Amino acid sequence: MTATTALPDAFCPTDGTRVPAGTLAWSCPVCRGPLDLDFSPTPARPASLTGRVNSLWRYAECLPLSAPAISLGEGRTPLVELAGPVSAKLDFLMPTLSFKDRGAVMLIALAQRLGPERVIADSSGNAGTSVAAYSARAGLPCTVYVPAGTSPKKLEQIGGHGARLEVVEGGRESAARAARAAADEPGTFYASHVHNPYFLQGTKTYVHELWEDLGGRLPDVLVVPVGNGTLLLGAALAVRELHAAGLIAKAPALYAVQSAAVAPLAEAWRAGADDLVGETPAADTFAEGIAIPRPPRARQILRAVRASGGAFLTVTEEQIAAAQLDLATRGLYVESTGVACWAAVRDGALGERTAVVPLCGAGAKTGLAKASVG
């Protein structure tokens, strides 16, 4: 297991602009779009993983940073059967109770290495909580911009980690704009889970874990909730790495799930478009964590789903509420955004194909969806 010491450069996937490693740049200096990392690792073979640390850092060859002192043991969440050919990965059993810890630990490990004066983030709750927790672990001052209407339990968790909260009137897009306005101030590290490619390098470990847990294979279908697409794009990265190394014979199809109330990517998919079409208004939905009207990585998300032979699925509020209750009766108390994938496939939408759904956040963060109606 070789520790990574030199940071790779970043680049803009839209116009190819290079961004040198070791800077606080968080977006393309030309188009201001998100960045990708110039990093093509080779995964370790299953036999060499025996005896390694029981966290996502066991996949060291595939990560652009060495294991940091700020790790909270994130990763290696259980995989359990749900029904028929569908299993669930319990990513709500992370240190801050959501899958966002996979990416946040990478962002703050990078920030710790770069030594900024402050960290800022924007979030509908879970990403901000993760960034706040790991910033506290690293001893870095942190400010999190959140939209008005964010779950009080998530606000309490963010504040409990010592971060300063900036509550922004309006929806998720308003919070992101406020954070971006502050992001270029000197000494600021913008821990953007959307723009910074290190976040995707963390979320890809979700698939590396599945591959190991399933004995060196992957299911026929990976079902993933999509708002900004960070879990889906991380999954696509891992699939490419495993396939290029000859460690899987066939890549799984990626099925992306959106709330029917806010589904700009599903609408673009149905239109056969390569990018977003028209304007999608913000709307209330139980799946608040994926209610993103204009995801900056839309083109990459659509391309990844199409290349995999997958598709987009949408779920109604009634389906979300029913799926959350169904999981609770199975012993799994998951927040309303985190049940979207189970809502999409629990009635047999995938046929007999094997599939894994992520249960992304703990129900303690939001309570039951039906209880919050009205």
Side-chain angles (χ1 to χ4, degrees):
M1 184 165 56
T2 303
T4 302
T5 54
L7 296 176
D9 289 343
F11 67 94
C12 176
T14 300
D15 58 35
T17 301
R18 306 283 298 185
V19 177
T23 74
L24 293 174
W26 56 270
S27 66
C28 173
V30 177
C31 72
R32 302 301 279 179
L35 297 171
D36 283 345
L37 214 56
D38 190 1
F39 183 60
S40 300
T42 300
R45 297 194 170 269
S48 69
L49 297 174
T50 303
R52 292 192 183 187
V53 62
N54 195 36
S55 74
L56 64 80
W57 298 96
R58 71 196 279 111
Y59 310 107
E61 290 87 351
C62 292
L63 298 175
L65 290 167
S66 302
I70 62 168
S71 174
L72 292 167
E74 54 286 329
R76 298 298 292 144
T77 54
L79 179 66
V80 301
E81 293 183 1
L82 274 183
V86 182
S87 296
K89 189 156 175 60
L90 310 189
D91 259 24
F92 66 90
L93 299 179
M94 287 280 197
T96 76
L97 308 182
S98 92
F99 89 95
K100 296 291 177 62
D101 291 353
R102 293 185 184 277
V105 69
M106 297 294 296
L107 290 180
I108 303 307
L110 175 63
Q112 191 175 42
R113 181 159 174 169
L114 298 179
E117 296 173 14
R118 70 194 67 82
V119 171
I120 67 169
D122 59 275
S123 170
S124 60
N126 284 340
T129 298
S130 290
V131 169
Y134 286 100
S135 293
R137 186 82 166 171
L140 291 170
C142 178
T143 299
V144 180
Y145 293 78
V146 297
T150 298
S151 163
K153 294 178 182 178
K154 293 181 180 180
L155 296 180
E156 182 179 341
Q157 192 179 4
I158 293 170
H161 290 305
R164 183 164 66 92
L165 277 162
E166 291 283 351
V167 180
V168 180
E169 290 302 318
R172 182 67 184 81
E173 295 288 313
S174 298
R177 283 194 296 272
R180 288 195 294 266
D184 291 325
E185 294 179 6
T188 299
F189 180 87
Y190 181 23
S192 172
H193 60 290
V194 182
H195 287 78
N196 194 309
Y198 278 81
F199 197 88
L200 305 182
Q201 295 293 322
T203 61
K204 75 181 183 184
T205 60
Y206 171 86
V207 168
H208 284 287
E209 289 177 19
L210 282 180
W211 168 77
E212 184 182 359
D213 290 340
L214 293 172
R217 61 182 178 85
L218 290 174
D220 298 326
V221 179
L222 293 172
V223 189
V224 187
V226 173
N228 278 309
T230 55
L231 184 53
L232 183 140
L233 291 173
L237 268 177
V239 168
R240 286 200 297 273
E241 290 170 2
L242 292 166
H243 193 264
L247 294 173
I248 54 172
K250 182 183 177 183
L254 298 174
Y255 273 64
V257 179
Q258 295 208 287
S259 164
V262 184
L265 292 159
E267 291 169 11
W269 176 266
R270 286 192 290 266
D274 294 329
D275 204 347
L276 301 178
V277 292
E279 293 291 329
T280 298
D284 291 334
T285 173
F286 292 138
E288 61 180 9
I290 54 173
I292 310 296
R294 294 199 63 80
R297 293 187 185 268
R299 292 181 68 89
Q300 289 178 282
I301 297 164
L302 289 161
R303 190 183 311 123
V305 172
R306 190 168 285 120
S308 77
F312 279 80
L313 304 172
T314 58
V315 289
T316 65
E317 302 304 288
E318 292 75 14
Q319 286 177 298
I320 293 169
Q324 189 182 34
L325 284 173
D326 179 62
L327 285 173
T329 65
R330 298 169 188 267
L332 299 166
Y333 192 47
V334 184
E335 72 167 312
S336 46
T337 297
V339 308
C341 291
W342 180 233
V345 304
R346 75 187 187 101
D347 293 328
L350 300 178
E352 294 304 311
R353 287 179 290 176
T354 58
V356 173
V357 300
L359 304 183
C360 297
K365 288 173 174 278
T366 58
L368 288 173
K370 75 177 246 182
S372 64
V373 174

